[in-house]
Amino acid sequence: MRLYTVIPCVLVALLFAASGVAGITRGWVLPVNRHRVRRVRLYGWGQLVAAVALCWQMLFSTVLSDPDTLDPHIREWGILSGGALLLTGVILMGVSQRARSARQGAGTP
């Protein structure tokens, strides 16, 4: 296991997760992003998904990297699914920065 890559990645994931939980529970966003984020809770979920994805990729790339204990395809699929999770988190954060669409319905007010 390479601790020089695991420790910074886990620290970044913990910061992402803390910011995501703050966004979900309290509606708080970092001051740098406040003017851009329109839907805070969705942004928080995106950060939480990205944090889980970073830990998932670190798990499969470093901790489970022993070729004798695992099938090599499990490691590849783990890293690929972590990338898909990371992309999902980035998409959620991007969607949360878009303005809500004005509904043009014929519903009752």
Side-chain angles (χ1 to χ4, degrees):
M1 181 176 359
R2 292 167 277 173
L3 289 177
Y4 61 89
T5 58
V6 173
I7 292 173
C9 187
V10 168
L11 288 176
V12 168
L14 283 174
L15 288 173
F16 255 51
S19 181
V21 168
I24 293 169
T25 59
R26 301 285 183 192
W28 184 83
V29 179
L30 289 170
V32 175
N33 297 333
R34 281 189 190 148
H35 67 283
R36 289 184 290 195
V37 175
R38 304 283 186 250
R39 291 178 264 179
V40 177
R41 305 244 189 283
L42 186 62
Y43 190 78
W45 278 110
Q47 285 185 322
L48 207 55
V49 169
V52 168
L54 284 174
C55 288
W56 187 262
Q57 284 184 331
M58 272 291 116
L59 175 75
F60 278 96
S61 67
T62 58
V63 177
L64 301 177
S65 63
D66 187 18
D68 297 332
T69 59
L70 287 176
D71 183 28
H73 298 296
I74 292 175
R75 180 176 179 219
E76 292 171 1
W77 282 105
I79 293 173
L80 183 65
S81 62
L85 269 175
L86 188 60
L87 182 63
T88 302
V90 169
I91 288 172
L92 283 175
M93 287 187 278
V95 167
S96 72
Q97 294 178 3
R98 294 182 52 119
R100 293 185 186 197
S101 62
R103 292 187 179 178
Q104 300 291 333
T108 58

